[in-house]
Amino acid sequence: MPNDVNLIRVTRGPILTQQDAKPIETLDETLHEDRILILDFGSQVTQLIARRVRESGVYCEIWPFTATEEKIRAFKPRGIILSGSPASVHDENAPPVPAVVFELNLPILGICYGQQAMCQALGGKVETHEHREFGRAYIDVAEDCSLFRGVWARGRREQVWMSHGDRVTQLPPGFRAVAHSEGAPFAIIADEGRRMYGVQFHPEVVHTPHGAALIKNFTHNVAGCSGTWTMAGFRDLEIARIREQVGEGRVICGLSGGVDSSVAAKLIHDAIGDQLTCIFVDPGILRAGEADEVVKTFRGRFNIRLVHRDASDLFLGELAGVKDPEVKRKTIGRLFVEVFEEEAAKLGGAQFLAQGTLYPDVIESVSFTGGPSVTIKSHHNVGGLPERMNMQLVEPLRELFKDEVRELGRELGIPENIVGRHPFPGPGLAIRIPGDITREKLDLLRKVDAIYLEEIRRAGLYDAIWQAFAVLLPVRTVGVMGDGRTYDQACALRAVTSTDGMTAEVYPFDFDFLNRVSGRIVNEVRGINRVTYDITSKPPGTIEWE
């Protein structure tokens, strides 16, 4: 496909309506007047705390426990949540709770390590105990408490999710125990006068059934937040911010067709119209029909200026013979940058580069406690741009989580086939083909993947599944088809459910569905004679299967 540019010119998109006349400061204050600060001590599920707070309609941010006193005071939170941690309070370099947290006289909720660190700082006692609790547990509610008013009642036994070796054994002055479990005598503690609460379990994970309601009680009933955080308000604020940042300048956006870059492009276009040009690099490793879909949606439907570069020969040429998955990732990432810069140079004169950076990318690219997060997110350009580009970043999704980006996309009118699309990694089909990559293998995998997703949609299961994909296995198997023997390739199918992408469980397809899908694949895709189903779950902290 030729390298071409849509020259249709459009004006700035209509938005802001009644709020259009308001200055950005007013919009910002309205949206963020109630805010919660989450101090992170290194838990792998800290992001989930923020998700639950946002779901309750309250804006929040995650900061490292090393945040300065000045910064914390300037943020002016209505309440503070202390996260869990893989550390023990007895470790030599255990993360401490900043003293300013207790000086502000704000509501505090300590979760797991956060509870223990709070108790130790205020004069309580924490001990390592033989009876550890990991996984599903049950607590007995002994007294009433503002934290679970209307959710739990005295005398009830409730399911929670525990993950602790240490436990509080002596409460600080002013606290009382309101619930206990077999392994934690102070499973929930409260100092109602100072509005301080601690829970030994993790209310942010889905395995604590009423955990989200407990967090909402803290944000609304305890901290007094009104719940004004809405995606419509965020849209209006970001459009105002983009206009203020960009002015009359020009913006270039790397458009992949995924949810993040698509939403970023549409939001920026609504703000500045034809000052935006998108560059779509087709590496030749996308799923069937995706390149055409991107062009039709953004050039045809939204009238966004779009450069479409077919770079499949370049990518597949450099990937030829490459078998190591990490080398594949780095090669693809390098080529994307090189091709993007080449096309951007042809346009000339742009002062800004737009990226679909999300909040998880930002906080996972900063190692709060010396963990491996920097390595995990090294492919995200959240730390700045190469000096040679001489451009400023525009990152309108920087405050959002994935589900919030989807919600924003719907606010912007992006079609569901894009905004509701399953996550698809940047390396695309390249990491769904273990071993060397060829056009023949890519074509084979595209056909298999298309049949699989078509049957999932036909069964009405697409939205119930977080991610589904096919993998071309690096093996050949002997089979019998009709009256002859075959010696062809095998493929694997995977589907998982997840609410957050942090953990995942296998989707329980029934046998009739699997039989129908495998039958179609073997019959319709010449070169495949065996289909397997991957039943691997994704525990916390793992990367996607490849």
Side-chain angles (χ1 to χ4, degrees), residues 20 37 174-175 249 541:
D20 201 21
L37 175 61
F175 281 86

Side-chain angles (χ1 to χ4, degrees), residues 40 43-51 54 60-62 260 356-368 372-383 395-406 466 499-502 538:
D40 182 28
S43 170
Q44 62 185 352
V45 291
T46 299
Q47 291 184 39
L48 300 187
I49 303 174
R51 287 171 56 87
R54 297 270 186 95
C60 66
E61 292 187 13
I62 300 173
D260 305 339
T357 305
L358 305 190
Y359 197 46
D361 302 331
V362 175
I363 60 180
E364 289 182 11
S365 296
V366 179
S367 184
F368 291 167
S373 56
V374 170
T375 301
I376 293 171
K377 287 293 183 180
S378 61
H379 61 288
H380 285 282
N381 192 15
V382 298
E395 297 176 307
L397 311 182
R398 196 178 174 89
E399 296 179 355
L400 301 184
F401 290 93
K402 191 77 170 188
D403 57 329
E404 294 171 327
V405 173
R406 295 187 193 280
W466 183 74
T499 57
D500 46 54
M502 299 290 290
K538 178 187 177 186

